[in-house]
Amino acid sequence: MIDFELTAKDREIINLAREQGKIAQRYASYYDRHENELPPEQFPEAKNLPNPLDLAEHASDSSGARILHSLVMHEIYGGGIALHRSRWGLGNAVLNTVATPEQVEKWKNHTIAIAITEPGAGSDPANIRTTATFDRETDEWVLNGEKIFISQAESSDAAMVFSRFVDADGQRGMTTFLVEKGTPGFTVGPQLRKLGIRSHDTCNLLFENCRIPEFNHIKGNFKSTMTVFNDSRPMVGAMALGVARAALNFTREMLIQSGIQIDYRGGIRSRSAIADRFLKLEATFEAALLTVLRSKWLEQQDVPPKVEASIAKAAGGKAARKITQGCVELLGPEALAEDHPLDRCFRDGRIFDIYEGAGEIQRLIIARSILDYTSRDLR
Amino acid sequence: MISFELTEEQRLAQTMAAQLARSTLRPAARDADEHLAIPPSILKEIWATGIVQSQAGAEATRSATLNAILLEELAVAGASFAIAAAAPIGFLSAIASQGSDAQKKALLPLFAGDSYQSAAVAIVEPDFAFDVSAIRTAAVKTTNGYRLSGIKGPVPLTRYCSHFLVVARFEDRLQAFIVERDAKGVIIGEKRPNIGLRALETATVTFDNVEVSIGVRLGEFAGCDVQWIVDSARTAFAAIMTGISRAVMEFVIPYTKERVVHGAALAQKQVIAFRLADMRIETDAMRWMTWKAAAILEKGGDATRQAQLACTYAREQAMWIVDEGVQMLGGHGYLRDNPVEMWYRDARTVSALEGVVGV
Ligand SMILES: Cc1cc2nc3c(=O)[nH]c(=O)nc-3n(C[C@H](O)[C@H](O)[C@H](O)COP(=O)(O)OP(=O)(O)OC[C@H]3O[C@@H](n4cnc5c(N)ncnc54)[C@H](O)[C@@H]3O)c2cc1C
């Protein structure tokens, strides 16, 4: 039956995440100003608190693990930084999706970053130049190339590297390699200087004649590897909306303090332009969050969402841009101060429509699907 | 528990409504617009779905969510058709949820007949400064009842209306009064076609010192929550705007695939393809917002915020979608040979209304 009410269990776990988000806010502004310092694996407060993401995974009587997980992530991003740092990267998702049982066994406790983007290949991974050549003499792969903008670059134990290959028979193709930290020839660059999400660990990676054993060759086909994004895209939407909601909540509070009420009863001729603008931003938030829930709900029905995952990512990414920009404008000059929470929301909120497939890429996916076009027909 | 699952019954009803919309209603939409009336045969078909009558049944058969689902389907064929159903639904659901036992008993069975009939929720007033928060129609207490005065409109399908649910200012708050069409002092104005929804034969209805009995105040002595009626209407409008948006999207997808310009299908141009993608994103979002508001109403919760957000969002997005729909057809979109110009007019008209309909 169609229903949008959270269960008592949902609310309990979401509230817990929200409380932790409040604690985390303090740290968020510290790491925003100290971008070269990595946040600890666990903040002191986190020691005595359960990780709401784990609770979401195992809760009974919830709206379902995928839905609840995304709503918890939403709260965490509202706080600006995770009190419990995630142990997993998207590389782990790739490992779990396509690796052999032996490979999974070996690296299941590693934090694995995902390394796709290169200077000449962002939205279009087909342009990847990083290449692994098979060395018959040692039965090893020799990897050369540069990866940029890699999340969890410093804090991870290994990277799942998307690469071209030239095998022993001279055959060519695309594949992935798991490269562990400390492998000679693998270096991690300094932290990148970003507009926002400065507490996030983001660096470039360099592979120079980096020798990798055959066992580290993760041989999923490219298509199934990319399915991990079906899960992560709506999640990015949920994160984007976490930041957006923090901005909306702050803005609402400030407007009310300044005597501007948001009244949902009247029509457009009953409210001020400011209240009207706020209401529209709030509607944009609701709209996007529901597309996230829709995609997550489909996942729970074992209907792998595809176009819905892209809808959620596109809607969340765009909403975060509109809402954070709009809130700063609504509150006026006073909102520009750097010590305001809006400052961070404004900067953090801009990433979600860029990474993990920019908004344009999501629209390509949606358009191809509704038009029944191939990637050749529409690119 | 968050769920987007339709029940078996909802799915069936949805399929049926979609079928009717496609086979019978859509082909009749242009004519209805041109001839400024919905043909009786079409009203009969709408009535035969049972969607209106089910509001009059037991509490258990009334479902705001199902109404929202069905109104979207009907609106894909034509917003006027959807409103022909949503207007009596608005009236009946207000009676069923806000009326006294006596009012329910007296009024609900009147709508169990075999032929189309309507009743209108009269909130809007013909005034450029109109807002639900600034209603001018007023009711005053008399010795035996109330006296109503004011002008309402546009009111759709007046000739099929047996009653009007008149929202008026009464003792510093808004209340609703059930007024029979034949009551003394009720003056139905000339039909006055609008930019869109032209088949609805809208007119103003003047209440010139209409004396009504004490029993007609909705909810009688307890009164009623007019905001509930407004919320229900906003939810219905959001459903209808979702339907109009879907109509546009489903029309322009094949059109832009076929239309070749500068050597390639229009749809292969990103500027077009991305707008199509946005139409899909926004239509989805509108629908989920509508469902959410409807689900809250169905559970008897406070849906004011959700209905406001759903309607506000749908107004903006539906207008954007119809606008882009016209643009994608170019000059062909501007001609009355294609339906997009009609949807363009309908969307603007729907988005200007309050009241009138319900879920
Ligand atoms: C903070 C941060 C963290 C990141 N983390 C990771 C990570 O962990 N791992 C990883 O591999 N990458 C990561 N990235 C990289 C990110 O995924 C890419 O930046 C993103 O995919 C866009 O690629 P690009 O920067 O090369 O932009 P480009 O591909 O050059 O795109 C530029 C613009 O053109 C648009 N565009 C591209 N192609 C088309 C098209 N066909 N049609 C229309 N418009 C198009 C894009 O949408 C974009 O707006 C991260 C980036 C950032 C900023």
Side-chain angles (χ1 to χ4, degrees), chain B residues 151-229:
Chain B
I151 307 176
K152 293 291 182 181
V155 178
L157 299 169
T158 47
R159 70 179 153 125
Y160 297 99
C161 286
S162 53
H163 297 80
F164 302 107
L165 186 63
V166 181
V167 172
R169 203 154 278 293
F170 175 69
E171 293 176 350
D172 289 341
R173 60 175 179 146
L174 291 178
Q175 285 295 287
F177 299 85
I178 306 156
V179 182
E180 288 182 17
R181 173 205 162 86
D182 299 332
K184 190 159 171 282
V186 174
I187 304 155
I188 299 189
E190 292 278 298
K191 279 187 233 168
R192 187 175 172 211
N194 297 301
I195 293 175
L197 305 177
R198 292 165 63 82
L200 288 177
E201 308 183 44
T202 56
T204 52
V205 181
T206 303
F207 298 88
D208 180 13
N209 292 308
V210 178
E211 302 278 350
V212 289
S213 75
I214 197 90
V216 308
R217 178 170 161 205
L218 186 60
E220 295 193 55
F221 297 110
C224 72
D225 179 8
V226 166
Q227 189 63 45
W228 187 94
I229 300 170

Side-chain angles (χ1 to χ4, degrees), chain A residues 87-360:
Chain A
R87 290 221 40 214
W88 313 119
L90 271 178
N92 290 89
V94 174
L95 184 80
N96 296 334
T97 312
V98 299
T100 65
E102 295 75 28
Q103 290 172 324
V104 173
E105 187 54 34
K106 176 158 185 195
W107 290 300
K108 65 179 185 209
N109 290 318
H110 282 54
T111 303
I112 310 168
I114 196 160
I116 306 174
T117 309
E118 298 183 4
S123 302
D124 187 4
N127 278 341
I128 282 171
R129 288 285 161 263
T130 294
T131 306
T133 311
F134 195 72
D135 182 350
R136 272 173 198 276
E137 310 227 319
T138 58
D139 274 355
E140 284 171 325
W141 293 92
V142 183
L143 187 67
N144 278 290
E146 187 186 3
K147 294 290 176 184
I148 60 170
F149 309 165
I150 305 307
S151 301
Q152 295 166 302
E154 197 175 330
S155 54
S156 58
D157 307 307
M160 189 66 77
V161 181
F162 284 51
S163 165
R164 298 185 168 279
F165 71 83
V166 185
D167 70 11
D169 307 324
Q171 299 276 17
R172 289 159 188 274
M174 288 279 234
T175 192
T176 41
F177 292 96
L178 188 141
V179 189
E180 291 187 49
K181 287 285 179 65
T183 309
F186 173 16
T187 46
V188 177
Q191 287 294 329
L192 299 174
R193 292 157 35 82
K194 303 189 289 281
L195 168 66
I197 59 163
R198 293 186 188 169
S199 66
H200 290 220
D201 165 13
T202 323
C203 314
N204 298 343
L205 311 179
L206 194 61
F207 303 95
E208 295 166 299
N209 291 322
C210 179
R211 291 188 160 266
I212 306 161
E214 168 62 17
F215 186 77
N216 291 34
H217 189 184
I218 312 288
K219 291 182 195 152
N221 71 41
F222 198 65
K223 246 200 171 132
S224 60
T225 307
M226 293 313 252
T227 59
V228 304
F229 292 108
N230 286 350
D231 170 73
S232 72
R233 282 181 175 146
M235 202 55 115
V236 174
M239 297 168 180
L241 293 166
V243 175
R245 208 187 52 191
L248 278 176
N249 284 348
F250 178 78
T251 304
R252 182 202 309 273
E253 231 173 88
M254 293 306 116
L255 289 178
I256 290 173
Q257 272 183 29
S258 313
I260 298 169
Q261 295 297 327
I262 312 297
D263 183 353
Y264 301 98
R265 292 168 299 174
I268 54 165
R269 277 168 294 276
S270 73
R271 50 184 179 253
S272 69
I274 295 290
D276 190 60
R277 293 268 288 277
F278 183 84
L279 207 137
K280 283 184 176 148
L281 294 178
E282 204 181 347
T284 302
F285 170 85
E286 273 287 328
L289 188 61
L290 286 167
T291 66
V292 171
L293 294 177
R294 169 73 180 184
S295 181
K296 286 287 158 189
W297 179 80
L298 285 174
E299 264 177 56
Q300 291 179 177
Q301 310 308 301
D302 298 320
V303 190
K306 184 166 189 234
V307 66
E308 288 83 1
S310 288
I311 287 174
K313 167 79 172 60
K318 182 170 154 203
R321 289 163 66 175
K322 268 179 85 167
I323 291 168
T324 55
Q325 293 161 15
C327 285
V328 173
E329 192 188 18
L330 280 182
L331 291 186
E334 174 57 20
L336 300 175
E338 258 191 39
D339 57 356
H340 258 307
L342 261 192
D343 156 51
R344 190 165 42 73
C345 292
F346 176 71
R347 290 179 292 108
D348 288 1
R350 192 60 185 83
I351 187 59
F352 306 99
D353 210 24
I354 297 176
Y355 69 6
E356 289 202 33
E360 290 75 12

Side-chain angles (χ1 to χ4, degrees), chain B:
Chain B
M1 182 162 105
I2 292 175
S3 170
F4 293 76
E5 183 89 64
L6 268 63
T7 62
E8 199 47 46
E9 188 204 338
Q10 287 171 335
R11 208 188 305 275
L12 258 154
Q14 183 187 37
T15 310
M16 227 180 61
Q19 183 95 39
L20 175 72
R22 219 180 3 254
S23 65
T24 311
L25 303 185
R26 170 65 73 80
R30 173 58 77 180
D31 259 10
D33 179 76
E34 301 259 318
H35 294 113
L36 302 174
I38 304 179
S41 62
I42 293 291
L43 289 173
K44 201 171 155 195
E45 294 277 0
I46 293 170
W47 193 258
T49 61
I51 172 178
V52 175
Q53 299 91 309
S54 69
Q55 315 310 311
E59 194 68 20
T61 66
R62 217 155 46 77
S63 161
T65 328
L66 179 59
N67 290 341
I69 292 169
L70 299 182
L71 290 179
E72 176 186 330
E73 297 301 330
L74 297 181
V76 174
S80 293
F81 302 146
I83 291 176
I89 291 174
F91 177 82
L92 291 171
S93 62
I95 303 292
S97 87
Q98 305 276 315
S100 66
D101 284 341
Q103 288 168 340
K104 286 188 225 177
K105 229 187 203 149
L107 291 164
L108 298 181
L110 297 181
F111 288 78
D114 290 333
S115 51
Y116 180 85
Q117 63 186 112
S118 193
V121 176
I123 291 184
V124 191
E125 299 176 349
D127 177 347
F128 290 119
F130 168 79
D131 193 89
V132 277
S133 61
I135 281 175
R136 291 179 196 234
T137 299
V140 291
K141 189 93 189 52
T142 60
T143 25
N144 301 322
Y146 308 95
R147 185 183 310 118
L148 286 169
S149 49
I151 307 176
K152 293 291 182 181
V155 178
L157 299 169
T158 47
R159 70 179 153 125
Y160 297 99
C161 286
S162 53
H163 297 80
F164 302 107
L165 186 63
V166 181
V167 172
R169 203 154 278 293
F170 175 69
E171 293 176 350
D172 289 341
R173 60 175 179 146
L174 291 178
Q175 285 295 287
F177 299 85
I178 306 156
V179 182
E180 288 182 17
R181 173 205 162 86
D182 299 332
K184 190 159 171 282
V186 174
I187 304 155
I188 299 189
E190 292 278 298
K191 279 187 233 168
R192 187 175 172 211
N194 297 301
I195 293 175
L197 305 177
R198 292 165 63 82
L200 288 177
E201 308 183 44
T202 56
T204 52
V205 181
T206 303
F207 298 88
D208 180 13
N209 292 308
V210 178
E211 302 278 350
V212 289
S213 75
I214 197 90
V216 308
R217 178 170 161 205
L218 186 60
E220 295 193 55
F221 297 110
C224 72
D225 179 8
V226 166
Q227 189 63 45
W228 187 94
I229 300 170
V230 172
D231 298 345
S232 169
R234 285 177 180 160
T235 307
F237 280 134
I240 291 166
M241 287 186 273
T242 309
I244 299 176
S245 303
R246 233 181 76 201
V248 173
M249 181 172 71
E250 289 171 1
F251 188 85
V252 293
I253 286 173
Y255 184 90
T256 54
K257 278 184 81 170
E258 261 171 43
R259 178 75 178 166
V260 174
V261 288
H262 297 287
L266 253 188
Q268 283 183 291
K269 316 270 174 200
Q270 276 198 356
V271 73
I272 301 295
F274 283 14
R275 281 177 200 159
L276 294 173
D278 277 316
M279 286 183 182
R280 169 64 197 267
I281 295 171
E282 303 305 355
T283 309
D284 269 22
M286 273 186 245
R287 178 180 312 110
W288 316 141
M289 289 177 93
T290 306
W291 285 12
K292 186 171 175 184
I296 297 172
L297 282 170
E298 187 163 331
K299 281 191 172 181
D302 178 357
T304 301
R305 174 175 171 275
Q306 198 58 44
Q308 170 72 266
L309 296 182
C311 194
T312 298
Y313 198 75
R315 276 185 183 138
E316 193 157 299
Q317 299 307 327
M319 201 57 222
W320 176 79
I321 289 172
V322 291
D323 183 45
E324 292 296 346
V326 170
Q327 191 68 13
M328 281 182 195
L329 266 73
H332 302 274
Y334 200 71
L335 292 192
R336 297 211 300 279
D337 303 345
N338 277 307
V340 285
E341 65 80 31
M342 181 170 66
W343 296 329
Y344 180 74
R345 291 182 284 109
D346 283 351
R348 182 74 298 167
T349 309
V350 170
S351 67
L353 298 173
E354 294 263 24
V356 182
V357 289
V359 284

